[in-house]
Amino acid sequence: GMLMVWLIVVSCFVLVTYFWFYLSSDSSMKHGIIHRTMSQRDIESTWGLWKTNAKMLLIELPRRVQLHRILSKSWKAWSSGDIALQIDATAIQLTAAERDRFSRLVSTNTIQTNDSTDWKRVNTHMEASLEALIMPYSLLIGRMQLAAFADPTFPLPMLGTVHVANEFELLGPFDADIQLRETCDNFVDVKVLMHKFQRHRRGILFYIDSEVSQEGRVVWKCKTTFLSHAKLKNNNIPIVSLPMKEFTSTIQEKITTGNSERLLMKFPADIGRQFARICLDYNPIHTSPTLAKVFGFRCCIAHGVCALSKALTTLEPQHAGDETSHWKCTVYFVSPLFIPSATQVQHCTNPDGKTFLLICNEKGTRCHVACDLVR
């Protein structure tokens, strides 16, 4: 008797969720920018995070069922940018505790250099301005992206969606310490804009443009590329490709022919859970070996931005004490970095100051992350 009651309750809940999504998704047919807002509490709250994740799971099935109905009506608008989803957060403050946790995690590494066969646990501190280039994504943008994914107007199912690439730009000066003062004028405003769907041979590409402003000026920008494995039935839509292979080949060539440095770095089994506590991305492929296998991986994989951040701490500072530099960074997450594992970090810097970096497997035969930095 109780089992039947529970089955009826669950069935009703699923039906309500389905029709709620069905009606909500119709708003994505309207052209224009769909605006949402987030507060400091929304960004920091663990309860808010779990609500966001639960919301994504609840509408995952309705999204899959309704995918072709929605996209057949609104594909042109989504692909042209006539429909976009924007989330704004104003007067946001990064706490010293958050920043310190990020710095400690990415700086504490187990490495093996060329002149030694022993593994050493060391602190490899990242240059201050380089940390300012990467940290906003981990502490702010990732959390707002999750909220965008959970919005009912976003039509794509999220299970199987892959983080493909980032283009970071630090416009400087951006001193994170200024946010700790008790005047609201020195806090940051954050904006993320999800837009521009494109058909890819493996699914659908979409982009999220992010901005961090301080005292009325943009100090940091980022373009993030995602690949959803949802398939389109309309074969008349042109297919676009990403320059990932060409980009990676160029980086490999620069490192092979340049004055490169190499070291080995270990990524422990719990690095996914440790980084999830900082960025609040508790995707099970990063935190649960069992669920990672359910999604087609042999074990957990590291967050791409975590791997990049730890590798960047091994670079020698180019301009010590210069925290206002203008940085640009392009990174492709080429293949999953399974954990635990040992990796080979390769990098070289040209005379013009451009740096090339690869994170490969221990033997250097398979690339996980390819990155270039220009200052």
Side-chain angles (χ1 to χ4, degrees):
M2 285 301 296
L3 178 61
M4 182 61 67
V5 170
W6 275 109
L7 285 174
I8 293 172
V9 169
V10 170
S11 299
C12 291
F13 187 71
V14 170
L15 284 172
V16 168
T17 304
Y18 176 84
F19 284 109
W20 166 74
F21 176 78
Y22 183 94
L23 295 172
S24 299
S25 62
D26 282 338
S27 63
S28 69
M29 308 303 176
K30 302 172 183 176
H31 291 200
I33 297 179
I34 303 159
H35 288 275
R36 302 285 188 262
T37 59
M38 291 184 71
S39 66
Q40 177 90 32
R41 185 176 179 180
D42 295 330
I43 291 176
E44 292 180 344
S45 167
T46 303
W47 168 240
L49 168 73
W50 289 114
K51 282 199 301 184
T52 298
N53 286 328
K55 198 173 175 182
M56 278 196 291
L57 288 174
L58 284 173
I59 61 179
E60 181 71 15
L61 180 59
R63 274 178 173 168
R64 291 184 180 275
V65 173
Q66 293 295 321
L67 177 68
H68 298 292
R69 179 189 74 87
I70 295 170
L71 289 185
S72 63
K73 293 184 178 181
S74 62
W75 173 262
K76 188 174 181 180
W78 273 109
S79 60
S80 66
D82 287 345
I83 296 179
L85 176 61
Q86 179 174 314
I87 299 181
D88 297 294
T90 58
I92 302 301
Q93 183 183 33
L94 295 179
T95 66
E98 286 180 303
R99 292 167 43 247
D100 288 345
R101 281 196 304 159
F102 173 83
S103 298
R104 282 199 303 270
L105 178 62
V106 301
S107 299
T108 305
N109 295 303
T110 303
I111 66 170
Q112 183 185 114
T113 57
N114 292 333
D115 56 359
S116 172
T117 58
D118 298 326
W119 290 98
K120 297 179 181 178
R121 189 174 176 85
V122 298
N123 288 324
T124 51
H125 293 288
M126 195 186 304
E127 188 175 346
S129 61
L130 195 52
E131 186 176 86
L133 176 72
I134 303 299
M135 185 174 57
Y137 187 85
S138 300
L139 298 184
L140 292 174
I141 305 303
R143 305 175 188 189
M144 295 178 69
Q145 287 177 348
L146 286 176
F149 296 153
D151 195 279
T153 58
F154 177 63
L156 300 179
M158 287 311 301
L159 292 181
T161 296
V162 180
H163 184 181
V164 177
N166 275 101
E167 296 175 29
F168 301 109
E169 186 172 7
L170 178 66
L171 303 172
F174 177 29
D175 182 1
D177 289 329
I178 203 171
Q179 299 161 32
L180 304 180
R181 300 177 189 168
E182 294 300 322
T183 54
C184 191
D185 289 343
N186 289 324
F187 289 8
V188 296
D189 298 328
V190 190
K191 179 177 75 174
V192 299
L193 179 69
M194 179 186 291
H195 66 129
K196 198 177 180 183
F197 289 10
Q198 293 180 318
R199 187 184 176 200
H200 187 270
R201 62 186 179 86
R202 292 185 178 178
I204 299 171
L205 290 171
F206 63 95
Y207 304 89
I208 297 183
D209 293 339
S210 310
E211 286 185 358
V212 175
S213 301
Q214 194 169 48
E215 298 180 331
R217 56 184 175 79
V218 177
V219 294
W220 183 92
K221 294 167 66 175
C222 173
K223 179 180 180 180
T224 310
T225 305
F226 289 94
L227 174 64
S228 169
H229 289 289
K231 297 293 185 181
L232 286 171
K233 291 181 178 179
N234 188 348
N235 293 323
N236 296 324
I237 298 172
I239 294 177
V240 300
S241 60
L242 290 169
M244 181 184 292
K245 287 185 178 179
E246 297 84 353
F247 180 84
T248 306
S249 297
T250 301
I251 301 293
Q252 289 172 331
E253 181 183 349
K254 296 289 185 183
I255 289 177
T256 302
T257 58
N259 185 21
S260 62
E261 297 181 27
R262 289 172 169 79
L263 58 83
L264 299 182
M265 177 181 286
K266 279 187 177 179
F267 286 83
D270 64 343
I271 191 63
R273 290 189 293 274
Q274 290 184 53
F275 196 71
R277 295 187 194 107
I278 292 172
C279 68
L280 301 187
D281 178 6
Y282 285 92
N283 189 324
I285 65 174
H286 302 304
T287 58
S288 169
T290 303
L291 291 176
K293 290 177 182 177
V294 171
F295 293 114
F297 299 99
R298 57 181 173 85
C299 58
C300 287
I301 63 174
H303 295 80
V305 174
C306 175
L308 172 67
S309 300
K310 292 176 83 66
L312 289 177
T313 64
T314 66
L315 299 180
E316 290 291 332
Q318 295 182 35
H319 304 280
D322 179 7
E323 299 185 8
T324 62
S325 295
H326 183 168
W327 282 98
K328 291 185 74 172
C329 171
T330 302
V331 56
Y332 278 91
F333 303 107
V334 183
S335 64
L337 172 54
F338 295 107
I339 48 177
S341 67
T343 62
Q344 185 178 130
V345 179
Q346 310 172 12
H347 61 84
C348 73
T349 301
N350 282 355
D352 62 1
K354 191 168 188 177
T355 299
F356 306 96
L357 183 143
L358 289 175
I359 306 175
C360 304
N361 62 357
E362 188 172 5
K363 295 181 179 179
T365 56
R366 184 182 184 188
C367 177
H368 299 302
V369 180
C371 165
D372 72 12
L373 280 160
V374 61
R375 190 168 197 166

